[in-house]
Every structure is written in C-alpha cells, then in structure tokens.
Amino acid sequence: MSAVKSPWLLAFAAVSVIHLILNGADLSPWDSVSKAFIAPLLAAWVVEQRGPRLLIAALAFCFLGDLFLELGDDFFIVGMAAFAGAHICFIWFFVQRGAVEQLRRKPIIVLIYAAAAIGLVVWCWTGLESGLRPVVPVYAALLLGTASTSLATDLRAGFGGALFLVSDGIIALGEAGRIDKDAATSGLAIMALYILAILLLSSGILDKEQRTRAAGPGFDPTVRTDCWPRMPA
C-alpha cells in the first residue's frame, strides 16, 4: 500500500480538518477531543511505515503536550515540558543523521534561527509571567535546535521545523500579551502550522529513511540528497 493512501494518514488528515473547523467555531470540548487524536494518528502511520523510534517518541511527546495544554493554564509548563521532550527526540535523530557536520559547513542556518529565537524571547520577555521567564529561553533554544538540525538534514523536514518554531512563537506572543491569544485567528494559525509541522517533519524523516534503506548498506545517510539544484556555471 502506498504511504499516502494509508488509512492512518487519511484519518490524520480528516481529523486535522475536523479539528480546525471545530477550533475556528470554538466548539468546546470537541475541539480538544479532536486535537488529542492528531499526533497519535500520525504516530500510527509512522509505525506502519516502519519509521524510526525517535520519531515515534517525538510524536508521543507531542500527544502529551497537546493533552496537558488542553487541561488548562495550571498544566501549561507541563505541556511545554512534554513538547520539549519531542524537540529533544527530533534533535537527537537529526544529529544521528549528520546534522552537526552539515551545520558546520553551513553555519548561516544556525545564525539565522538563533537571531529569530533571540528576537522572539526579547520581544516576549517583559510580558511574560515570572514563572515562564526561566522556561521560555530554554524552550526557544530547543525550537532553534529542531529547526536548524532538520533543515541541515532534509529540506522537507526543515520546512516542518520552521513551521514548528512559528507556531510556538505565536503561542509565546500570546502568553506575553503581544497578540490576543484568545482570538480565533490565533488558535487557527497555531494549530494549522503545528499540524503541517509534524506532518512535514514525519514525512521528511520517513522519506529519507526509506531512501537510505533502498540505497543499500553502502549509502551514507548523513549526506543530503534533497538540496536545491545548482545552477550551471
């Protein structure tokens, strides 16, 4: 069966669309219920496609993060901790696939994302509650890590890492009072970007792993094969 025709991936797509509709209409608690199925359905697809365990673990942490964030403000930091676990899994995977070496060759990736992460923290800082101030810089560093290592490893996954940073950046701006976190447009943007982020990260990783297996034991998985084509001299 083709990966794109998998019932798990189709279910993920259907539930994601349903959730966005429920989220936009503010139909509680059904928006929260539908949200809780998004990451598990994607994880089931990854399992079906024989994906790496670190990716499955990352999606499991995403599920926990979604769950805790829906339980209310008292569990916000716990939810952040769960998503931090997801980013650690993503970063660990990409480092194993040669991201550090790629970033040494292209340090501009880290510099750009570092500037974005620092700018986000500085913009939010004065509006953050005292309990969030020690946590936000650490989490921003993890977002930076996922975004940069994913882009260094695979282009599609790199887009996913970038969208994850933007999605969580909107959450941070809302917590700091820089934007209206209760606005319907904010919630829709956060969830749409997050859904695309985990889909692109997962599909990018799976595609790279499947190419590695198909190429045989002599193939080096740390070498990128998805870079933009070079223009002829």
Side-chain angles (χ1 to χ4, degrees):
M1 179 185 296
S2 171
V4 297
K5 295 181 180 179
S6 165
W8 294 114
L9 186 60
L10 295 175
F12 164 80
V15 170
S16 296
V17 171
I18 291 170
H19 170 72
L20 292 176
I21 293 171
L22 294 172
N23 186 295
D26 196 22
L27 293 177
S28 182
W30 302 112
D31 55 344
S32 298
V33 172
S34 59
K35 182 180 180 180
F37 284 95
I38 293 173
L41 287 170
L42 191 60
W45 177 60
V46 172
V47 171
E48 179 189 61
Q49 299 300 313
R50 300 190 313 163
R53 293 180 181 178
L54 279 173
L55 175 56
I56 298 168
L59 293 172
F61 277 118
C62 287
F63 161 70
L64 292 175
D66 288 336
L67 182 64
F68 284 119
L69 290 182
E70 290 301 309
L71 293 178
D73 292 341
D74 291 341
F75 292 90
F76 185 81
I77 292 183
V78 180
M80 285 187 67
F83 276 114
H87 288 295
I88 290 170
C89 290
F90 282 129
I91 294 167
W92 189 1
F93 172 83
F94 292 125
V95 167
Q96 289 180 344
R97 296 304 184 272
V100 173
E101 182 59 32
Q102 292 293 333
L103 289 173
R104 285 175 181 161
R105 297 174 184 170
K106 301 175 182 178
I108 188 65
I109 295 174
V110 177
L111 293 175
I112 291 173
Y113 276 127
I118 292 170
L120 177 64
V121 172
V122 170
W123 190 10
C124 292
W125 190 257
T126 57
L128 293 172
E129 296 180 0
S130 58
L132 286 176
R133 286 187 176 181
V135 179
V136 168
V138 175
Y139 189 75
L142 290 173
L143 285 171
L144 157 68
T146 296
S148 57
T149 57
S150 61
L151 182 57
T153 307
D154 180 83
L155 186 61
R156 189 193 312 174
F159 282 129
L163 293 180
F164 217 135
L165 189 154
V166 175
S167 176
D168 283 1
I170 296 173
I171 295 176
L173 292 173
E175 291 298 318
R178 303 301 185 236
I179 60 174
D180 183 3
K181 68 177 181 179
D182 296 321
T185 52
S186 298
L188 277 174
I190 290 166
M191 285 309 302
L193 292 169
Y194 165 66
I195 290 167
L196 285 173
I198 59 175
L199 175 61
L200 290 172
L201 281 163
S202 299
S203 61
I205 289 171
L206 287 178
D207 184 61
K208 187 172 182 63
E209 293 297 282
Q210 289 167 358
R211 290 199 310 268
T212 301
R213 287 197 292 265
F219 181 75
D220 185 357
T222 66
V223 176
R224 284 188 54 169
T225 58
D226 63 337
C227 300
W228 299 108
R230 293 184 179 180
M231 297 297 292

